[in-house]
Structures are given as C-alpha cells and as structure tokens.
Amino acid sequence: MSATIAAAAVVQLAGAVALAPLIPGAVRAVERRLQGLRGPSPLQPYRELRRLWRRSGVAPVPRTAVYAVAPPLAAAATLAAALLVPVGAVAPDWGLGGDALLLVGLLALGRAALALAAWDTGSGFALMGAARDLAFAPYLEALLLAVVAIAAVGAGTTDLGEIAAATAERPLLSAPEQWLAALAFALVAVAESGRRPYDNPDTHLELTMIHEGPLLEYAGRELALLQWTAAVRQWVAIVLGVALFAPVGGPWAGRVAALAGLVAVAVVALAVSETAQAKMRLLRVPRWVGAGVAVCAVAVVLRAIGGAP
Amino acid sequence: MSAVPALAWAGAAALLAGAIAAALRPRAGLALQAVGAALLGAAGAAVALGAPAVGAGFRSDLSPALGIDGLGGVFLALIAAVAAPACAAAADLLPAGRRGAAVAALTGAFVLALAAVVAARDALTLLAAWELMTLVPAIAILVARSDAAARRTIFVYLAITHIAGVGAWVALLALAEVGALGGAPLDGAAGFAVALAALVGFGAKAGLVPLHAWLPRAHPIAPAHLSALMSGAMVAVALYGLIRVLFQWTEPAPVAVAALALAGLASALGGALQAAVARELKTLLAFSTIENVGVAAVALAAALALRAAGDDGAAALALAAALLALLGHALAKGLLFLCSGAIAASAGTLALDGLGGLARRLPWTGGAFAVGALTLAAVPPLAGFVAEWATLQALLRAAGSGSPWLGLAVSAAVVTLAATAGLALLAFVKAIGLTLLGEPRSAGAATAREAPAAIRAAVGGLAVAAVALALASGPLIGALASLGPSGAPDVGLGLGLPDSGGLPVPALALWLVAATAVLAWLAARGGRAAPAPAWACGQPADPRLAWTAGGFAKLLTLTAAVALRPRRELLVETGRDGTVVGVEHRSTEARLLDGALYAPVLGAALAAAGRARRLQSGSLRAYLGYLLALVAALLAAVRIGALG
C-alpha cells in the first residue's frame, strides 16, 4: 500500500509540476486541428516557459513588495491545491490534509494574490481583469461549493481522498444526483481553468480577457510562474472532476491509465467545446452559473425524494 | 482561592479609576483603562481555558450578583482584546481638550458596561449594564461631534435598538419570573415566545438583518476607537446574550432556529454585498460587521439544529465555530477601525477614492491593515477562513444527519456562505488596493505620515494576535467546543476533525511561506529591468483614468442589480456658448431594506401619530368629553361586573 501512496505522490507532483503545461498545449493543438489549421505543437507552452525563464522581469512604477510576492504566492497556493487532490483514488499525505473546502480556499487565495498585484501597479488593463475575476468569484465559489457539498454529503466526509475512495467503490455515476453534480462541475471547471465560453485564454484583448488581465504587467520568470500556475489550475480542475465523479478502483496501473485516459478525454472535450462556442457576454456569466446552481438544486431534491443511499 | 477574582476586581477597579482619571488627564486615564481591560481579559481567558468558574452562578431572583464562567470568560477576553489596544491608541486618536477628555472618560465607562453585561448573573444587573452599553457610546458620539447629521444618526440608533431592545427586557424578565435563569430551561410555547423576543432584542443590537439599519450609520460616525469597540466587541456581546437565552435558558422551537438561520444568512449575504460596493472605508467595515455577525448567527443556528438532532459533538463544533468567528472578527475589525482612525487623521479622508499608496507612506499601519483585511477576506490560512471552514463543516454535518429536506435547506445555506466569502474577498481586496496600493489619489494621501508609536503598537499587537489566533485555532477550537453552556462534553476537537480532510493551519502556513519564499528567490534571480511606468497603451498614466471603488465593483453591481438597484446620474455642465465644461458622473446603490421595510413602517408610524394627535385638540370641551366618556365606560363596566 505504501508503494501505491508513494507512486500516487509521484503522479501528483509529476502531473502538477511537469505535465500541467501540456494541457493548454494539447487543447490548443487539438482545437486548431478541429478548425482545419495546423497549429503549434502541444509542447509549445514548455518552449514559452523556457523562453520566459531566460528573460529578466520588469519593474513597473508604482509598485510595492506585493508585485513581487503575488506570482510566487499564487503558484504556491495553486500547487498546494494540486497536492490536495487524490489521483487514482489515492491521497498521499503531504501534511496539508486533504480537505475539499480548503481546496476552494486555496484557489481563492491565488485569485486574491493576483488581484492585489493588479491594484499594486494600478494598471488599467490588469485591474479590468482582476475586477471581472473577483466579481464572478462569488457566483463560481457558490456553484463549486454546491457541487462539493453534494459529493461530501453523499460520501459523509469532506476528505477528498475518502470521497474518491467511497465513489470508486460504487458503480460509475450510478446515482442521478452524481450526473447532475458532474454537469454543474463541468461549468465550474471551464471557468476556473479560464476557458471559453467563460474566458478566452488566447487573447490579450481587453474586451474579452479575465485571467490574462493581471498577467499583463509581468514578464520574465514571474510571467513564467503565472503561466505555469494557470496550467496547474486547469490540471486541478480536471483531476478534481475525476476524483469527485469518476475515480476508478482496482489495480494501481489501471487507475493511472484510467486517469490518463480521462485527462485526455477532458482535453478533447475542452477543445471541442472551445471550437463550438464563442466567448459569452460578460453579463451572462451569472445566469450561466445560475443554471449550474439550479442543476445542483435538482440533484439535492432528487436525493431528498429518493432518500439517501 | 485562585487569583482570578483578584485579577478581575483589579481590572474593573483600574477601568473605573481610568475612566475617572481620564476626565482630568486623558492620556494617563486611557493608559490605566488599557491596563484594566487587559487584567479583566486575563481573568476571562484563564476561566475560558479551564480555570474553575468564579463568582456567583446565574440566579432568578433580582439581587445583584457577578461571576465569570467559561462562556463569559471567552467574551471577557474578546472585549479585552479589542479594548486594551483601543484605549492605548485612543490617546493619539482623540483631539486634545475637554471634548477629548470627556470621550476618554466615557470610553472607560463603555468598556465597564460591556464587561458588566458578560459578568452579570441576574436579570436586573444584566439589563442595567445592557442599557448602559447602548447609551454610553451614543453619548460619547454626541460629545465627539454635535452636527445635525450625527444627531439624526444617533436618533436612528437609539430608536431601533430601544424599540427592539424591549425584546431583551421581555425575554430576561420572563425568564427570571419562571426561574429559568440558573434553573431548568424554558420550553413549550413560553420558551418559543421568549426565544423570539430575545432574537429581536439581542439581534437588533448585534446588527442582524432586518434590524441592522442603525449599524452602518452609527459605526462610521463614531471616533475610531469607539467604532472598534462597538463593531468588534459590542455586537459580539449582543450575540453573547442570544447564546445564553437560546442555549442555556430556553429550548428553542425549530421555527425560532429557522428564524435565526434566515436572519443570519440574510445578514451575511446582504452585508457582504453592501461592503463590496461601499465607497467609504468605515462604511465598508460596518457592512462587513453585519456579514460577520451573520456568519456567526448561522453557525449558532446550526449548533441549535444539531443539538436538537442529538448530535452533541457537531453542535459543540458549530458553537466553537461561531465563537472563533466572533474572536477573529473582533481582532481584525478592531484593528481595521483603529487603522482607519490613523488614516483619517493622517490623510484627511476615508473616501476610498481619496486614499491610495499608503503602504509606502505608512508601512507599519499599512502592514497591520493588510493582515486584518486578509483575515476578514477569509483566505487561508488566516482566522476568517478557519472560522468559515469550521462553520461549513458543522453545516455539512447537519445536512448529513437530519431529514433530507433539512439537507436541502442546509445546502442553500452552504451556497449562500460560499457566495458571502467570495463577496468578502472582493470587498477587502478592494479595500487593500484602494487604501494601500497604487498611486495616492488625493493630496492628503500623498503627504500622509506614519501613525504615532502608540497606534502602531496597538494595531501591530492586534495583527500579531490575529495571526496567532489562526495558528492556535486547532487547540483553541477544542477548548471552545468544550464550554458550550449545554454542557457538551469535551469531544477533543482539533482541526483534524473526523469526516473531514482536516485543516492543519500551522503546516499550511509554513508551506505557503516556504514555497513562496523559494519561488520568489528563484524569480528574483532572473533579474529585473529598469523601472518604467505601468502599461497604459504607451501614454502617460492619467490620474483621472485610475480605477475607482465604484468601477471595481461595477460588474458586481450590474449582475446583482436585483438587490442593489443601481442608479446613475450624469451631470453635464455646459458653458454659456454651449460647450461642455464639465461632466460629473455619480452612481449610487440602494440599501434595499431601507426602502422596502423601513420607509413603509416609518410612514405608517408618522401617519398613526398624526391621527393620534387629533385627540389633543386643545379644546377644553373635548377633554371634558373624554372624561365623561371614561366615567361612563367605567360605570358601565362596573354595572356588567367586568371589574369584579
């Protein structure tokens, strides 16, 4: 068992640190292919990170220590979040616990760090993105917590590892409320990872950007950290979805293979949905999230009628 | 004979002496008050952390008595945690002269009244201290400033808290009448009525929606150290009364618990929403107080529901979550109000659009401000998040334990609290950004000076205490859970709760600090280009294009227009030849309940008063007619035997 846990720890670290940039790269490559374009290689994000790592940072005026602390803090919080999520229904103990609510808090901490950095330089574009990010955060956090609450009450715990283990024992998506919660989670996952129709990761146009906004004042290694953090957020969103709704039991090699397969499915699904939809109007986001909350409410009512399993 | 009673009496004596001395020598008197508050707090903390209770127990007869038990100790410590720094900082915040001296003296009286509410052991002492706690800050505010606006605000404050305060009198006197103070809790219909009366009486003082309207008006106009005491300590003491009545002296019916939960949720969401769109620092803090009280009230309601369901361990967790939320709120809100006093004195304004860049000009005060604001923004690993986490854990247990429909209601509460946390994040990021970061937005902010040493020490101490509260929250929540007045057993709760992933705050803090430091070091090794202005499309940054408080919350205002009812006005000033010489844009958000609830009530009250005044016609014949009618009615009553 301890070998499994060690292997899970390796998968967590490898996924978060090394493989995460592959997700935006792969999504972009598949997306371009679907659109009949050749597109960049899936490895393009790594090349960009390497290029940025060699460059020096910038020093906007005005700024305080907040400017320099924000990217590392956002990265540290997001990495901690990645270490909370079990892989293959196994949760290694990093000493941070494994609580679902803490994960939501850590994502909020990353958001706060970037918004404060935007205020620090006072750059108009950075603040535009930060203002949008924070204005939608209440809606998205409400939806995310609704999904987490459904999963947690179903499993009788908020420990992500135990939720995954309990869900892995049951047949895949056996209860209707799980289907509905998974649907709602898909909305949050798209938004948290900054993807269309919520956000457009490929643009620096002030009309459309949300997550990219606060990044505008950064360059060099700090920008590399922030881009890597954005990739880790996408990894966390996908792996969290797998852990909550589709963990696979059985032998360890099968679990890892299933995880890899599900991540690949998620990448293709993201690419298809990005190809099919345009970015939505900003003011429609709350309604979009509201639809997710309504779906969650239906899920809870269904359980109320059907009785807890 | 333990040292606790001696400590407590010494503290009370020092407070009293300090209050009297402050009338003549404000500085010395306030220092004495700070010492007295600290002594009282030490006594309270000792009892809260396990020393045996001292003094009398609760009694239903009306002879005065004082005492400290575990719950009272927590609140005494809370009062002291705000009062000691507030008194220490007050000397530099108050103006010199007779007004300042009078306010300084009243400050001591206010702290004594707060402590007396918590230490009272009979109904009469409690109610007397309760009234003093309401009146003394009102007097102090009127002494500090006597403009018409302040008088009107104080009128609103006294009107709401006194009309609703009847509930506290009714509840306590009824409980004393049936002997429930120190006796068996009151249940049945009488218990329900008393619980509702207490909810109105204590809830209004705590600032629970819908009786909150006074709070965002009164807290901003008070002198900063009184704002800190009112917002940090007084609303918590109001909830203390509610805890005593609902947990110890009555067995509240489910309807009363539901009412508390609804009021709490409405306060949390509404307070956070108004804080997010606020344009003035103290107003933002006042609305955030409503939010924090709401979260604590939700946790209390969860504790009551869980206790009724028989889950004593989870009920103790919920109560501990409420107490932790109040402690974190007291430290952070006290800190922020004291900072706001220093900022107002130094920059000359508290309008968020007139501050900015203060982190560089007031590094110590600004640093403490950031700690307080992040605590209230509920980001991990700080105390606000820990309290929120524990509250959500308790709620999820309630969802899993009771009926499925209770689960639905609890899920709605969880979603509401999540949205509240998101709004609080927006509000306090905005507060930090507009106050501390960026370029100064007014001449006052550009020339602001660091606060005097006493204020720096006070806010610095509060910031350290807020961080320490978060780090010690594991053992602390266990201690708090064991002192529920329901006599809940010590369930050995830390933050490694069963059925949760645990919240190892120290490890988390260590991880965040260490990882941030390593990554920052790596990033810094990449070097930095020469300083250059932030990007504004290649043009020089125009101060008029800087982001404002209203602008940052604009998207929220638009998407939450149902509740905020935004209105905008555009004033275009044209010169004699028709050219535009000035454009002014103004936008406001409505306080929904003010229009929907208070305006009709106020209108009806005025109309009724107008009608009642017609009786007072001034005509002698009319008064003789009233007398005749009264005599006739009495004779008729005697005739039919109604008077026995």
Side-chain angles (χ1 to χ4, degrees):
Chain A
M1 193 61 200
S2 64
T4 317
I5 289 176
V10 171
V11 172
Q12 271 186 332
L13 266 187
V17 177
L19 296 178
L22 198 55
I23 292 178
V27 171
R28 192 156 29 168
V30 176
E31 194 189 324
R32 294 294 188 272
R33 196 52 66 86
L34 286 173
Q35 293 163 350
L37 306 166
R38 197 175 327 137
S41 145
L43 300 179
Q44 185 61 28
Y46 292 101
R47 297 178 190 147
E48 283 170 22
L49 288 177
R50 190 182 56 188
R51 174 171 58 84
L52 287 171
W53 197 256
R54 289 190 194 139
R55 300 236 169 124
S56 73
V58 289
V61 177
R63 69 172 198 291
T64 62
V66 173
Y67 176 82
V69 168
L73 180 59
T78 313
L79 187 58
L83 295 183
L84 292 180
V85 186
V87 288
V90 177
D93 186 9
W94 294 94
L96 300 174
D99 198 80
L101 304 178
L102 175 59
L103 181 104
V104 180
L106 285 169
L107 293 179
L109 178 61
R111 221 193 294 272
L114 281 188
L116 286 174
W119 274 113
D120 197 22
T121 58
S123 151
F125 297 115
L127 277 168
M128 192 178 286
R132 289 169 179 173
D133 198 12
L134 287 186
F136 292 140
Y139 299 97
L140 290 172
E141 281 185 12
L143 180 54
L144 181 55
L145 221 60
V147 174
V148 166
I150 289 173
V153 172
T157 172
T158 58
D159 186 294
L160 284 167
E162 287 174 26
I163 292 177
T167 317
E169 281 170 13
R170 281 182 280 168
L172 195 62
L173 293 175
S174 53
E177 74 246 23
Q178 271 191 307
W179 278 99
L180 294 169
L183 185 64
F185 180 80
L187 296 185
V188 187
V190 165
E192 282 292 340
S193 52
R195 290 269 161 198
R196 275 196 294 270
Y198 173 75
D199 192 3
N200 185 349
D202 296 331
T203 183
H204 294 292
L205 264 182
E206 69 270 24
L207 295 180
T208 56
M209 67 188 175
I210 298 178
H211 285 160
E212 286 290 313
L215 274 57
L216 277 183
E217 283 304 321
Y218 283 101
R221 294 191 172 188
E222 283 163 341
L223 182 56
L225 270 183
L226 289 174
Q227 290 195 345
W228 173 73
T229 305
V232 177
R233 275 179 98 92
Q234 303 188 10
W235 162 263
V236 170
I238 293 174
V239 178
L240 179 63
V242 174
L244 287 180
F245 301 109
V248 180
W252 172 245
R255 292 185 190 196
V256 175
L259 178 68
L262 284 169
V263 171
V265 168
V267 164
V268 174
L270 276 174
V272 170
S273 94
E274 294 226 320
T275 311
Q277 325 181 49
K279 162 114 174 53
M280 78 168 84
R281 273 189 68 205
L282 280 174
L283 290 178
R284 290 184 58 187
V285 168
R287 231 178 290 168
W288 188 64
V289 175
V293 173
V295 166
C296 285
V298 171
V300 177
V301 171
L302 275 183
R303 183 166 50 214
I305 295 170
Chain B
M1 180 72 192
S2 78
V4 172
L7 262 182
W9 281 118
L15 265 175
L16 191 60
I20 296 167
L24 304 169
R25 302 276 303 278
R27 209 162 263 280
L30 283 167
L32 198 54
Q33 286 175 24
V35 171
L39 289 176
L40 259 182
V47 177
L49 294 176
V54 296
F58 278 98
R59 54 173 75 172
S60 287
D61 59 29
L62 298 181
S63 56
L66 295 170
I68 307 173
D69 62 356
L71 188 68
V74 172
F75 279 89
L76 264 188
L78 181 149
I79 294 167
V82 185
C87 292
D92 286 319
L93 289 170
L94 284 172
R98 279 174 49 208
R99 281 192 178 200
V103 174
L106 286 166
T107 304
F110 184 33
V111 178
L112 262 182
L114 287 168
V117 171
V118 172
R121 284 297 172 268
D122 64 288
L124 227 51
T125 312
L126 206 161
L127 286 170
W130 179 261
E131 290 301 319
L132 279 178
M133 179 182 95
T134 307
L135 291 175
V136 170
I139 300 168
I141 293 174
L142 285 182
V143 170
R145 47 188 295 178
S146 46
D147 50 308
R151 283 203 301 275
R152 168 132 194 95
T153 303
I154 292 302
F155 176 74
V156 170
Y157 162 62
L158 289 180
I160 294 180
T161 48
H162 266 127
I163 291 174
V166 172
W169 283 81
V170 168
L172 283 173
L173 292 179
L175 286 168
E177 175 68 24
V178 299
L181 267 59
L186 189 60
D187 55 3
F192 176 62
V194 165
L196 277 192
L199 209 53
V200 171
F202 294 109
K205 198 76 216 231
L208 281 177
V209 169
L211 295 170
H212 65 287
W214 61 273
L215 197 152
R217 292 177 167 80
H219 285 190
I221 63 161
H225 73 288
L226 279 181
S227 301
L229 277 169
M230 289 172 81
S231 198
M234 189 173 78
V235 297
V237 169
L239 279 189
Y240 161 83
L242 206 53
I243 293 174
R244 287 282 186 206
V245 173
L246 294 182
F247 282 77
Q248 204 167 355
W249 298 332
T250 62
E251 296 275 358
V255 178
V257 177
L260 176 64
L262 270 182
L265 288 174
S267 308
L269 194 61
L273 197 57
Q274 289 287 352
V277 299
R279 292 185 173 80
E280 203 249 5
L281 185 56
K282 274 185 151 185
T283 310
L284 188 154
L285 296 178
F287 275 115
S288 154
T289 298
I290 296 182
E291 178 223 329
N292 291 322
V293 167
V295 172
V298 172
L300 290 179
L304 289 168
L306 284 162
R307 194 178 65 168
D311 191 347
D312 274 348
L317 167 68
L319 179 64
L323 295 178
L324 192 68
L326 286 178
L327 282 171
H329 158 75
L331 292 175
K333 204 52 72 66
L335 190 170
L336 289 174
F337 269 115
L338 291 181
C339 283
S340 77
I343 289 170
S346 169
T349 177
L350 281 176
L352 284 171
D353 291 335
L355 299 170
L358 295 183
R360 275 164 289 161
R361 303 209 55 96
L362 288 74
W364 291 99
T365 314
F369 184 102
V371 171
L374 287 174
T375 295
L376 292 177
V379 291
L382 294 171
F385 177 78
V386 179
E388 189 105 15
W389 184 86
T391 306
L392 287 172
Q393 287 290 351
L395 279 174
L396 288 174
R397 278 161 175 69
S401 70
S403 78
W405 295 108
L406 177 68
L408 188 61
V410 169
S411 304
V414 167
V415 169
T416 309
L417 285 190
T420 303
L423 290 169
L425 183 69
L426 172 61
F428 282 101
V429 164
K430 185 176 98 167
I432 295 177
L434 280 163
T435 310
L436 302 180
L437 305 175
E439 296 279 15
R441 290 145 193 272
S442 69
T447 55
R449 287 251 202 75
E450 179 60 285
I455 297 180
R456 289 208 302 271
V459 296
L462 280 168
V464 170
V467 172
L469 180 71
L471 290 178
S473 53
L476 193 62
I477 214 163
L480 291 175
S482 68
L483 52 79
S486 56
D490 184 349
V491 287
L493 291 167
L495 290 176
L497 296 175
D499 292 336
S500 83
L503 183 61
V505 180
L508 187 66
L510 187 65
W511 158 266
L512 287 174
V513 170
T516 304
V518 168
L519 291 173
W521 177 74
L522 281 176
R525 279 172 60 91
R528 221 180 260 291
W535 177 247
C537 290
Q539 298 177 1
D542 186 336
R544 286 176 301 176
L545 295 181
W547 278 69
T548 59
F552 195 68
K554 173 85 177 184
L555 201 50
L556 180 74
T557 314
L558 289 178
T559 55
V562 180
L564 291 172
R565 308 278 165 90
R567 284 212 308 206
R568 55 188 296 196
E569 260 178 277
L570 202 59
L571 300 173
V572 180
E573 199 185 330
T574 47
R576 204 173 295 163
D577 55 349
T579 53
V580 176
V581 293
V583 179
E584 195 185 347
H585 171 256
R586 212 179 293 152
S587 61
T588 51
E589 290 84 25
R591 294 178 185 172
L592 194 58
L593 283 181
D594 284 12
L597 181 68
Y598 285 95
V601 170
L602 191 64
L606 286 177
R611 237 166 264 139
R613 199 163 56 186
R614 274 190 223 151
L615 290 174
Q616 301 281 6
S617 58
S619 146
L620 193 60
R621 272 173 294 180
Y623 291 133
L624 285 176
Y626 296 155
L627 276 178
L628 269 180
L630 179 66
V631 170
L634 284 174
L635 284 175
V638 170
R639 184 85 183 90
I640 61 170
L643 297 181

